[in-house]
PDB file of all heavy atoms in Angstrom:
ATOM      1  N   GLY A   1       0.818  -1.225  -0.012  1.00  0.00           N
ATOM      2  CA  GLY A   1       0.011  -0.004  -0.002  1.00  0.00           C
ATOM      3  C   GLY A   1       0.834   1.253   0.003  1.00  0.00           C
ATOM      4  O   GLY A   1       1.820   1.395   0.748  1.00  0.00           O
ATOM      5  N   LEU A   2       0.505   2.187  -0.881  1.00  0.00           N
ATOM      6  CA  LEU A   2       1.103   3.539  -0.887  1.00  0.00           C
ATOM      7  C   LEU A   2       0.448   4.355   0.206  1.00  0.00           C
ATOM      8  O   LEU A   2      -0.767   4.347   0.364  1.00  0.00           O
ATOM      9  CB  LEU A   2       0.885   4.203  -2.211  1.00  0.00           C
ATOM     10  CG  LEU A   2       1.381   5.642  -2.411  1.00  0.00           C
ATOM     11  CD1 LEU A   2       2.865   5.693  -2.385  1.00  0.00           C
ATOM     12  CD2 LEU A   2       0.852   6.241  -3.706  1.00  0.00           C
ATOM     13  N   VAL A   3       1.255   5.002   1.071  1.00  0.00           N
ATOM     14  CA  VAL A   3       0.705   5.682   2.219  1.00  0.00           C
ATOM     15  C   VAL A   3       1.026   7.154   2.356  1.00  0.00           C
ATOM     16  O   VAL A   3       0.550   7.849   3.220  1.00  0.00           O
ATOM     17  CB  VAL A   3       1.110   4.973   3.533  1.00  0.00           C
ATOM     18  CG1 VAL A   3       0.526   3.527   3.583  1.00  0.00           C
ATOM     19  CG2 VAL A   3       2.653   4.938   3.663  1.00  0.00           C
ATOM     20  N   ASN A   4       1.918   7.654   1.444  1.00  0.00           N
ATOM     21  CA  ASN A   4       2.328   9.046   1.604  1.00  0.00           C
ATOM     22  C   ASN A   4       2.984   9.573   0.295  1.00  0.00           C
ATOM     23  O   ASN A   4       3.565   8.768  -0.420  1.00  0.00           O
ATOM     24  CB  ASN A   4       3.332   9.180   2.760  1.00  0.00           C
ATOM     25  CG  ASN A   4       4.248  10.453   2.636  1.00  0.00           C
ATOM     26  OD1 ASN A   4       5.417  10.307   2.235  1.00  0.00           O
ATOM     27  ND2 ASN A   4       3.723  11.540   2.998  1.00  0.00           N
ATOM     28  N   ALA A   5       2.742  10.805   0.020  1.00  0.00           N
ATOM     29  CA  ALA A   5       3.457  11.481  -1.073  1.00  0.00           C
ATOM     30  C   ALA A   5       3.593  12.964  -0.737  1.00  0.00           C
ATOM     31  O   ALA A   5       2.589  13.582  -0.367  1.00  0.00           O
ATOM     32  CB  ALA A   5       2.699  11.263  -2.447  1.00  0.00           C
ATOM     33  N   ASP A   6       4.800  13.482  -0.915  1.00  0.00           N
ATOM     34  CA  ASP A   6       5.028  14.882  -0.655  1.00  0.00           C
ATOM     35  C   ASP A   6       5.627  15.490  -1.929  1.00  0.00           C
ATOM     36  O   ASP A   6       6.766  15.361  -2.257  1.00  0.00           O
ATOM     37  CB  ASP A   6       6.010  15.115   0.494  1.00  0.00           C
ATOM     38  CG  ASP A   6       5.410  14.675   1.838  1.00  0.00           C
ATOM     39  OD1 ASP A   6       4.253  15.034   2.086  1.00  0.00           O
ATOM     40  OD2 ASP A   6       6.088  13.924   2.593  1.00  0.00           O
ATOM     41  N   PRO A   7       4.779  16.244  -2.692  1.00  0.00           N
ATOM     42  CA  PRO A   7       5.283  16.864  -3.923  1.00  0.00           C
ATOM     43  C   PRO A   7       6.329  17.867  -3.722  1.00  0.00           C
ATOM     44  O   PRO A   7       6.367  18.532  -2.645  1.00  0.00           O
ATOM     45  CB  PRO A   7       3.983  17.500  -4.524  1.00  0.00           C
ATOM     46  CG  PRO A   7       2.843  16.813  -3.804  1.00  0.00           C
ATOM     47  CD  PRO A   7       3.367  16.508  -2.494  1.00  0.00           C
ATOM     48  N   ALA A   8       7.130  18.047  -4.725  1.00  0.00           N
ATOM     49  CA  ALA A   8       8.145  19.089  -4.711  1.00  0.00           C
ATOM     50  C   ALA A   8       7.456  20.466  -4.849  1.00  0.00           C
ATOM     51  O   ALA A   8       6.437  20.596  -5.485  1.00  0.00           O
ATOM     52  CB  ALA A   8       9.127  18.951  -5.862  1.00  0.00           C
ATOM     53  N   GLY A   9       8.034  21.493  -4.209  1.00  0.00           N
ATOM     54  CA  GLY A   9       7.664  22.825  -4.405  1.00  0.00           C
ATOM     55  C   GLY A   9       8.767  23.618  -5.079  1.00  0.00           C
ATOM     56  O   GLY A   9       9.892  23.096  -5.210  1.00  0.00           O
ATOM     57  N   VAL A  10       8.519  24.855  -5.411  1.00  0.00           N
ATOM     58  CA  VAL A  10       9.569  25.725  -5.986  1.00  0.00           C
ATOM     59  C   VAL A  10       9.756  26.871  -5.017  1.00  0.00           C
ATOM     60  O   VAL A  10       8.945  27.850  -5.015  1.00  0.00           O
ATOM     61  CB  VAL A  10       9.229  26.254  -7.395  1.00  0.00           C
ATOM     62  CG1 VAL A  10      10.366  27.135  -7.945  1.00  0.00           C
ATOM     63  CG2 VAL A  10       8.961  25.100  -8.317  1.00  0.00           C
ATOM     64  N   GLN A  11      10.765  26.759  -4.107  1.00  0.00           N
ATOM     65  CA  GLN A  11      10.921  27.766  -3.094  1.00  0.00           C
ATOM     66  C   GLN A  11      12.090  28.681  -3.389  1.00  0.00           C
ATOM     67  O   GLN A  11      13.143  28.273  -3.929  1.00  0.00           O
ATOM     68  CB  GLN A  11      11.245  27.061  -1.749  1.00  0.00           C
ATOM     69  CG  GLN A  11      10.000  26.598  -0.998  1.00  0.00           C
ATOM     70  CD  GLN A  11       9.390  25.361  -1.659  1.00  0.00           C
ATOM     71  OE1 GLN A  11       8.157  25.429  -1.964  1.00  0.00           O
ATOM     72  NE2 GLN A  11      10.130  24.339  -1.791  1.00  0.00           N
ATOM     73  N   VAL A  12      11.861  29.995  -3.084  1.00  0.00           N
ATOM     74  CA  VAL A  12      12.896  31.024  -3.207  1.00  0.00           C
ATOM     75  C   VAL A  12      12.893  31.840  -1.890  1.00  0.00           C
ATOM     76  O   VAL A  12      12.014  31.657  -1.045  1.00  0.00           O
ATOM     77  CB  VAL A  12      12.636  31.956  -4.416  1.00  0.00           C
ATOM     78  CG1 VAL A  12      12.731  31.150  -5.712  1.00  0.00           C
ATOM     79  CG2 VAL A  12      11.286  32.625  -4.309  1.00  0.00           C
ATOM     80  N   ARG A  13      13.902  32.714  -1.767  1.00  0.00           N
ATOM     81  CA  ARG A  13      13.868  33.562  -0.573  1.00  0.00           C
ATOM     82  C   ARG A  13      12.626  34.462  -0.619  1.00  0.00           C
ATOM     83  O   ARG A  13      12.159  34.884  -1.647  1.00  0.00           O
ATOM     84  CB  ARG A  13      15.151  34.423  -0.537  1.00  0.00           C
ATOM     85  CG  ARG A  13      16.370  33.675  -0.115  1.00  0.00           C
ATOM     86  CD  ARG A  13      17.539  34.627   0.163  1.00  0.00           C
ATOM     87  NE  ARG A  13      17.886  35.421  -1.033  1.00  0.00           N
ATOM     88  CZ  ARG A  13      18.618  35.034  -1.998  1.00  0.00           C
ATOM     89  NH1 ARG A  13      19.141  33.820  -1.994  1.00  0.00           N
ATOM     90  NH2 ARG A  13      18.892  35.829  -3.027  1.00  0.00           N
ATOM     91  N   ALA A  14      12.206  34.890   0.559  1.00  0.00           N
ATOM     92  CA  ALA A  14      10.980  35.738   0.654  1.00  0.00           C
ATOM     93  C   ALA A  14      11.206  37.067  -0.070  1.00  0.00           C
ATOM     94  O   ALA A  14      10.255  37.653  -0.551  1.00  0.00           O
ATOM     95  CB  ALA A  14      10.620  35.936   2.123  1.00  0.00           C
ATOM     96  N   ASP A  15      12.449  37.587  -0.111  1.00  0.00           N
ATOM     97  CA  ASP A  15      12.719  38.842  -0.705  1.00  0.00           C
ATOM     98  C   ASP A  15      13.141  38.736  -2.178  1.00  0.00           C
ATOM     99  O   ASP A  15      13.578  39.715  -2.784  1.00  0.00           O
ATOM    100  CB  ASP A  15      13.787  39.614   0.074  1.00  0.00           C
ATOM    101  CG  ASP A  15      15.107  38.866   0.151  1.00  0.00           C
ATOM    102  OD1 ASP A  15      15.208  37.756  -0.416  1.00  0.00           O
ATOM    103  OD2 ASP A  15      16.117  39.419   0.738  1.00  0.00           O
ATOM    104  N   ALA A  16      13.045  37.507  -2.727  1.00  0.00           N
ATOM    105  CA  ALA A  16      13.360  37.370  -4.155  1.00  0.00           C
ATOM    106  C   ALA A  16      12.392  38.157  -5.011  1.00  0.00           C
ATOM    107  O   ALA A  16      11.200  38.304  -4.646  1.00  0.00           O
ATOM    108  CB  ALA A  16      13.378  35.894  -4.511  1.00  0.00           C
ATOM    109  N   PRO A  17      12.825  38.675  -6.155  1.00  0.00           N
ATOM    110  CA  PRO A  17      11.988  39.552  -6.964  1.00  0.00           C
ATOM    111  C   PRO A  17      10.886  38.842  -7.777  1.00  0.00           C
ATOM    112  O   PRO A  17      10.108  39.471  -8.441  1.00  0.00           O
ATOM    113  CB  PRO A  17      12.977  40.227  -7.892  1.00  0.00           C
ATOM    114  CG  PRO A  17      14.099  39.255  -8.062  1.00  0.00           C
ATOM    115  CD  PRO A  17      14.219  38.540  -6.699  1.00  0.00           C
ATOM    116  N   TYR A  18      10.836  37.507  -7.675  1.00  0.00           N
ATOM    117  CA  TYR A  18       9.891  36.757  -8.526  1.00  0.00           C
ATOM    118  C   TYR A  18       8.536  36.633  -7.858  1.00  0.00           C
ATOM    119  O   TYR A  18       8.423  36.164  -6.733  1.00  0.00           O
ATOM    120  CB  TYR A  18      10.459  35.352  -8.791  1.00  0.00           C
ATOM    121  CG  TYR A  18      11.950  35.426  -9.032  1.00  0.00           C
ATOM    122  CD1 TYR A  18      12.838  34.866  -8.119  1.00  0.00           C
ATOM    123  CD2 TYR A  18      12.463  36.002 -10.200  1.00  0.00           C
ATOM    124  CE1 TYR A  18      14.248  34.954  -8.360  1.00  0.00           C
ATOM    125  CE2 TYR A  18      13.849  36.107 -10.402  1.00  0.00           C
ATOM    126  CZ  TYR A  18      14.717  35.562  -9.494  1.00  0.00           C
ATOM    127  OH  TYR A  18      16.032  35.686  -9.681  1.00  0.00           O
ATOM    128  N   LYS A  19       7.495  37.100  -8.582  1.00  0.00           N
ATOM    129  CA  LYS A  19       6.153  37.024  -8.051  1.00  0.00           C
ATOM    130  C   LYS A  19       5.527  35.675  -8.280  1.00  0.00           C
ATOM    131  O   LYS A  19       4.597  35.257  -7.546  1.00  0.00           O
ATOM    132  CB  LYS A  19       5.292  38.121  -8.678  1.00  0.00           C
ATOM    133  CG  LYS A  19       5.707  39.521  -8.360  1.00  0.00           C
ATOM    134  CD  LYS A  19       4.771  40.531  -9.042  1.00  0.00           C
ATOM    135  CE  LYS A  19       5.175  41.987  -8.674  1.00  0.00           C
ATOM    136  NZ  LYS A  19       4.311  42.966  -9.344  1.00  0.00           N
ATOM    137  N   ASN A  20       6.002  34.963  -9.277  1.00  0.00           N
ATOM    138  CA  ASN A  20       5.437  33.688  -9.551  1.00  0.00           C
ATOM    139  C   ASN A  20       6.476  32.810 -10.246  1.00  0.00           C
ATOM    140  O   ASN A  20       7.601  33.276 -10.552  1.00  0.00           O
ATOM    141  CB  ASN A  20       4.186  33.811 -10.431  1.00  0.00           C
ATOM    142  CG  ASN A  20       4.449  34.746 -11.632  1.00  0.00           C
ATOM    143  OD1 ASN A  20       5.411  34.575 -12.346  1.00  0.00           O
ATOM    144  ND2 ASN A  20       3.568  35.741 -11.823  1.00  0.00           N
ATOM    145  N   VAL A  21       6.151  31.532 -10.529  1.00  0.00           N
ATOM    146  CA  VAL A  21       7.132  30.650 -11.146  1.00  0.00           C
ATOM    147  C   VAL A  21       7.443  31.037 -12.575  1.00  0.00           C
ATOM    148  O   VAL A  21       8.599  30.801 -13.058  1.00  0.00           O
ATOM    149  CB  VAL A  21       6.620  29.165 -11.049  1.00  0.00           C
ATOM    150  CG1 VAL A  21       5.440  28.931 -12.021  1.00  0.00           C
ATOM    151  CG2 VAL A  21       7.767  28.178 -11.326  1.00  0.00           C
ATOM    152  N   GLN A  22       6.583  31.704 -13.250  1.00  0.00           N
ATOM    153  CA  GLN A  22       6.858  32.205 -14.609  1.00  0.00           C
ATOM    154  C   GLN A  22       7.957  33.177 -14.566  1.00  0.00           C
ATOM    155  O   GLN A  22       8.868  33.113 -15.446  1.00  0.00           O
ATOM    156  CB  GLN A  22       5.587  32.840 -15.224  1.00  0.00           C
ATOM    157  CG  GLN A  22       4.428  31.914 -15.495  1.00  0.00           C
ATOM    158  CD  GLN A  22       3.368  31.983 -14.391  1.00  0.00           C
ATOM    159  OE1 GLN A  22       3.726  32.003 -13.203  1.00  0.00           O
ATOM    160  NE2 GLN A  22       2.128  32.054 -14.764  1.00  0.00           N
ATOM    161  N   ASP A  23       7.968  34.097 -13.638  1.00  0.00           N
ATOM    162  CA  ASP A  23       9.032  35.051 -13.508  1.00  0.00           C
ATOM    163  C   ASP A  23      10.392  34.432 -13.288  1.00  0.00           C
ATOM    164  O   ASP A  23      11.408  34.795 -13.891  1.00  0.00           O
ATOM    165  CB  ASP A  23       8.789  36.023 -12.347  1.00  0.00           C
ATOM    166  CG  ASP A  23       7.595  36.950 -12.602  1.00  0.00           C
ATOM    167  OD1 ASP A  23       7.163  37.076 -13.732  1.00  0.00           O
ATOM    168  OD2 ASP A  23       7.161  37.606 -11.634  1.00  0.00           O
ATOM    169  N   LEU A  24      10.386  33.393 -12.429  1.00  0.00           N
ATOM    170  CA  LEU A  24      11.649  32.677 -12.109  1.00  0.00           C
ATOM    171  C   LEU A  24      12.140  31.953 -13.364  1.00  0.00           C
ATOM    172  O   LEU A  24      13.347  32.048 -13.665  1.00  0.00           O
ATOM    173  CB  LEU A  24      11.417  31.689 -10.983  1.00  0.00           C
ATOM    174  CG  LEU A  24      12.574  30.758 -10.641  1.00  0.00           C
ATOM    175  CD1 LEU A  24      13.765  31.612 -10.147  1.00  0.00           C
ATOM    176  CD2 LEU A  24      12.204  29.716  -9.626  1.00  0.00           C
ATOM    177  N   LEU A  25      11.274  31.229 -14.058  1.00  0.00           N
ATOM    178  CA  LEU A  25      11.741  30.533 -15.250  1.00  0.00           C
ATOM    179  C   LEU A  25      12.204  31.497 -16.338  1.00  0.00           C
ATOM    180  O   LEU A  25      13.180  31.192 -17.032  1.00  0.00           O
ATOM    181  CB  LEU A  25      10.607  29.654 -15.761  1.00  0.00           C
ATOM    182  CG  LEU A  25      10.216  28.473 -14.853  1.00  0.00           C
ATOM    183  CD1 LEU A  25       8.953  27.743 -15.385  1.00  0.00           C
ATOM    184  CD2 LEU A  25      11.373  27.484 -14.695  1.00  0.00           C
ATOM    185  N   ALA A  26      11.555  32.622 -16.503  1.00  0.00           N
ATOM    186  CA  ALA A  26      12.011  33.593 -17.495  1.00  0.00           C
ATOM    187  C   ALA A  26      13.409  34.131 -17.106  1.00  0.00           C
ATOM    188  O   ALA A  26      14.269  34.283 -18.043  1.00  0.00           O
ATOM    189  CB  ALA A  26      11.062  34.742 -17.496  1.00  0.00           C
ATOM    190  N   ALA A  27      13.685  34.300 -15.826  1.00  0.00           N
ATOM    191  CA  ALA A  27      14.999  34.784 -15.409  1.00  0.00           C
ATOM    192  C   ALA A  27      16.078  33.702 -15.656  1.00  0.00           C
ATOM    193  O   ALA A  27      17.194  33.992 -16.076  1.00  0.00           O
ATOM    194  CB  ALA A  27      14.958  35.169 -13.920  1.00  0.00           C
ATOM    195  N   ILE A  28      15.716  32.444 -15.382  1.00  0.00           N
ATOM    196  CA  ILE A  28      16.684  31.300 -15.654  1.00  0.00           C
ATOM    197  C   ILE A  28      16.989  31.267 -17.126  1.00  0.00           C
ATOM    198  O   ILE A  28      18.163  31.076 -17.524  1.00  0.00           O
ATOM    199  CB  ILE A  28      16.078  30.003 -15.124  1.00  0.00           C
ATOM    200  CG1 ILE A  28      16.007  30.001 -13.622  1.00  0.00           C
ATOM    201  CG2 ILE A  28      16.912  28.807 -15.645  1.00  0.00           C
ATOM    202  CD1 ILE A  28      15.211  28.853 -13.027  1.00  0.00           C
ATOM    203  N   LYS A  29      15.961  31.357 -17.940  1.00  0.00           N
ATOM    204  CA  LYS A  29      16.131  31.255 -19.431  1.00  0.00           C
ATOM    205  C   LYS A  29      17.014  32.405 -19.930  1.00  0.00           C
ATOM    206  O   LYS A  29      17.846  32.191 -20.839  1.00  0.00           O
ATOM    207  CB  LYS A  29      14.769  31.255 -20.106  1.00  0.00           C
ATOM    208  CG  LYS A  29      14.812  30.695 -21.506  1.00  0.00           C
ATOM    209  CD  LYS A  29      13.382  30.437 -21.993  1.00  0.00           C
ATOM    210  CE  LYS A  29      13.391  29.764 -23.358  1.00  0.00           C
ATOM    211  NZ  LYS A  29      12.029  29.405 -23.792  1.00  0.00           N
ATOM    212  N   ALA A  30      16.812  33.548 -19.388  1.00  0.00           N
ATOM    213  CA  ALA A  30      17.599  34.706 -19.780  1.00  0.00           C
ATOM    214  C   ALA A  30      19.032  34.751 -19.292  1.00  0.00           C
ATOM    215  O   ALA A  30      19.862  35.454 -19.831  1.00  0.00           O
ATOM    216  CB  ALA A  30      16.861  35.994 -19.382  1.00  0.00           C
ATOM    217  N   ASN A  31      19.271  33.990 -18.198  1.00  0.00           N
ATOM    218  CA  ASN A  31      20.622  33.989 -17.526  1.00  0.00           C
ATOM    219  C   ASN A  31      21.050  32.590 -17.230  1.00  0.00           C
ATOM    220  O   ASN A  31      21.292  32.192 -16.088  1.00  0.00           O
ATOM    221  CB  ASN A  31      20.497  34.797 -16.219  1.00  0.00           C
ATOM    222  CG  ASN A  31      20.028  36.254 -16.436  1.00  0.00           C
ATOM    223  OD1 ASN A  31      20.853  37.088 -16.767  1.00  0.00           O
ATOM    224  ND2 ASN A  31      18.732  36.489 -16.210  1.00  0.00           N
ATOM    225  N   PRO A  32      21.312  31.797 -18.282  1.00  0.00           N
ATOM    226  CA  PRO A  32      21.759  30.377 -18.030  1.00  0.00           C
ATOM    227  C   PRO A  32      23.100  30.364 -17.308  1.00  0.00           C
ATOM    228  O   PRO A  32      23.980  31.125 -17.637  1.00  0.00           O
ATOM    229  CB  PRO A  32      21.864  29.816 -19.468  1.00  0.00           C
ATOM    230  CG  PRO A  32      21.996  31.001 -20.352  1.00  0.00           C
ATOM    231  CD  PRO A  32      21.214  32.082 -19.725  1.00  0.00           C
ATOM    232  N   GLY A  33      23.164  29.526 -16.273  1.00  0.00           N
ATOM    233  CA  GLY A  33      24.371  29.412 -15.455  1.00  0.00           C
ATOM    234  C   GLY A  33      24.455  30.310 -14.280  1.00  0.00           C
ATOM    235  O   GLY A  33      25.316  30.148 -13.410  1.00  0.00           O
ATOM    236  N   LYS A  34      23.549  31.265 -14.165  1.00  0.00           N
ATOM    237  CA  LYS A  34      23.578  32.283 -13.067  1.00  0.00           C
ATOM    238  C   LYS A  34      22.999  31.674 -11.783  1.00  0.00           C
ATOM    239  O   LYS A  34      23.457  31.947 -10.663  1.00  0.00           O
ATOM    240  CB  LYS A  34      22.833  33.532 -13.453  1.00  0.00           C
ATOM    241  CG  LYS A  34      22.705  34.522 -12.301  1.00  0.00           C
ATOM    242  CD  LYS A  34      21.880  35.726 -12.708  1.00  0.00           C
ATOM    243  CE  LYS A  34      21.710  36.739 -11.542  1.00  0.00           C
ATOM    244  NZ  LYS A  34      20.877  37.902 -11.893  1.00  0.00           N
ATOM    245  N   PHE A  35      21.973  30.792 -11.935  1.00  0.00           N
ATOM    246  CA  PHE A  35      21.204  30.317 -10.783  1.00  0.00           C
ATOM    247  C   PHE A  35      21.772  29.006 -10.220  1.00  0.00           C
ATOM    248  O   PHE A  35      22.287  28.117 -10.991  1.00  0.00           O
ATOM    249  CB  PHE A  35      19.771  30.120 -11.154  1.00  0.00           C
ATOM    250  CG  PHE A  35      19.004  31.422 -11.377  1.00  0.00           C
ATOM    251  CD1 PHE A  35      19.098  32.081 -12.605  1.00  0.00           C
ATOM    252  CD2 PHE A  35      18.207  31.940 -10.408  1.00  0.00           C
ATOM    253  CE1 PHE A  35      18.442  33.263 -12.828  1.00  0.00           C
ATOM    254  CE2 PHE A  35      17.543  33.122 -10.574  1.00  0.00           C
ATOM    255  CZ  PHE A  35      17.656  33.808 -11.799  1.00  0.00           C
ATOM    256  N   LYS A  36      21.720  28.895  -8.887  1.00  0.00           N
ATOM    257  CA  LYS A  36      22.114  27.666  -8.215  1.00  0.00           C
ATOM    258  C   LYS A  36      20.908  27.144  -7.368  1.00  0.00           C
ATOM    259  O   LYS A  36      20.101  27.932  -6.863  1.00  0.00           O
ATOM    260  CB  LYS A  36      23.294  27.885  -7.333  1.00  0.00           C
ATOM    261  CG  LYS A  36      24.586  28.251  -8.110  1.00  0.00           C
ATOM    262  CD  LYS A  36      25.830  28.229  -7.204  1.00  0.00           C
ATOM    263  CE  LYS A  36      25.890  29.429  -6.275  1.00  0.00           C
ATOM    264  NZ  LYS A  36      26.091  30.653  -6.973  1.00  0.00           N
ATOM    265  N   ALA A  37      20.809  25.827  -7.204  1.00  0.00           N
ATOM    266  CA  ALA A  37      19.754  25.214  -6.442  1.00  0.00           C
ATOM    267  C   ALA A  37      20.352  24.122  -5.585  1.00  0.00           C
ATOM    268  O   ALA A  37      21.412  23.569  -5.887  1.00  0.00           O
ATOM    269  CB  ALA A  37      18.667  24.670  -7.386  1.00  0.00           C
ATOM    270  N   SER A  38      19.599  23.729  -4.520  1.00  0.00           N
ATOM    271  CA  SER A  38      20.042  22.671  -3.653  1.00  0.00           C
ATOM    272  C   SER A  38      18.848  22.092  -2.888  1.00  0.00           C
ATOM    273  O   SER A  38      17.753  22.593  -3.015  1.00  0.00           O
ATOM    274  CB  SER A  38      21.121  23.176  -2.703  1.00  0.00           C
ATOM    275  OG  SER A  38      21.673  22.140  -1.948  1.00  0.00           O
ATOM    276  N   GLY A  39      19.148  21.078  -2.090  1.00  0.00           N
ATOM    277  CA  GLY A  39      18.076  20.465  -1.259  1.00  0.00           C
ATOM    278  C   GLY A  39      18.214  18.926  -1.148  1.00  0.00           C
ATOM    279  O   GLY A  39      17.515  18.302  -0.377  1.00  0.00           O
ATOM    280  N   THR A  40      19.246  18.360  -1.837  1.00  0.00           N
ATOM    281  CA  THR A  40      19.470  16.933  -1.700  1.00  0.00           C
ATOM    282  C   THR A  40      20.811  16.710  -2.419  1.00  0.00           C
ATOM    283  O   THR A  40      21.466  17.651  -2.891  1.00  0.00           O
ATOM    284  CB  THR A  40      18.362  16.078  -2.394  1.00  0.00           C
ATOM    285  OG1 THR A  40      18.596  14.730  -2.161  1.00  0.00           O
ATOM    286  CG2 THR A  40      18.312  16.304  -3.899  1.00  0.00           C
ATOM    287  N   GLY A  41      21.239  15.455  -2.456  1.00  0.00           N
ATOM    288  CA  GLY A  41      22.509  15.167  -3.155  1.00  0.00           C
ATOM    289  C   GLY A  41      22.351  15.228  -4.628  1.00  0.00           C
ATOM    290  O   GLY A  41      21.203  15.315  -5.197  1.00  0.00           O
ATOM    291  N   GLN A  42      23.450  15.123  -5.380  1.00  0.00           N
ATOM    292  CA  GLN A  42      23.421  15.111  -6.810  1.00  0.00           C
ATOM    293  C   GLN A  42      22.625  13.917  -7.338  1.00  0.00           C
ATOM    294  O   GLN A  42      22.854  12.754  -6.921  1.00  0.00           O
ATOM    295  CB  GLN A  42      24.884  14.993  -7.361  1.00  0.00           C
ATOM    296  CG  GLN A  42      24.982  15.096  -8.860  1.00  0.00           C
ATOM    297  CD  GLN A  42      24.923  16.552  -9.339  1.00  0.00           C
ATOM    298  OE1 GLN A  42      25.118  17.444  -8.527  1.00  0.00           O
ATOM    299  NE2 GLN A  42      24.732  16.741 -10.667  1.00  0.00           N
ATOM    300  N   GLY A  43      21.610  14.158  -8.148  1.00  0.00           N
ATOM    301  CA  GLY A  43      20.766  13.092  -8.653  1.00  0.00           C
ATOM    302  C   GLY A  43      19.686  12.658  -7.669  1.00  0.00           C
ATOM    303  O   GLY A  43      18.937  11.671  -7.929  1.00  0.00           O
ATOM    304  N   GLY A  44      19.504  13.364  -6.547  1.00  0.00           N
ATOM    305  CA  GLY A  44      18.442  13.065  -5.606  1.00  0.00           C
ATOM    306  C   GLY A  44      17.107  13.539  -6.171  1.00  0.00           C
ATOM    307  O   GLY A  44      17.001  14.182  -7.162  1.00  0.00           O
ATOM    308  N   ILE A  45      16.040  13.197  -5.372  1.00  0.00           N
ATOM    309  CA  ILE A  45      14.676  13.446  -5.839  1.00  0.00           C
ATOM    310  C   ILE A  45      14.399  14.890  -6.159  1.00  0.00           C
ATOM    311  O   ILE A  45      13.809  15.268  -7.177  1.00  0.00           O
ATOM    312  CB  ILE A  45      13.685  12.908  -4.842  1.00  0.00           C
ATOM    313  CG1 ILE A  45      12.211  13.076  -5.291  1.00  0.00           C
ATOM    314  CG2 ILE A  45      13.819  13.531  -3.442  1.00  0.00           C
ATOM    315  CD1 ILE A  45      11.914  12.335  -6.593  1.00  0.00           C
TER     316      ILE A  45
END
């Protein structure tokens, strides 16, 4: 039996300039290599 699932979210700092995920993705697309992310090991969920 499957008993739990916790979906991923897209979290940023509270003072980040992005109002929504569209803003964030547009910034990533316009600035490849500028952004860093973390939360697990390399290749983790």
Side-chain angles (χ1 to χ4, degrees):
L2 177 68
V3 295
N4 158 256
D6 292 316
V10 181
Q11 277 72 237
V12 296
R13 285 190 302 276
D15 60 359
Y18 319 109
K19 294 181 180 179
N20 49 50
V21 71
Q22 295 99 316
D23 290 348
L24 174 63
L25 293 174
I28 291 170
K29 199 167 186 176
N31 302 278
K34 176 183 176 181
F35 289 81
K36 294 190 287 292
S38 187
T40 187
Q42 186 80 15
I45 183 63

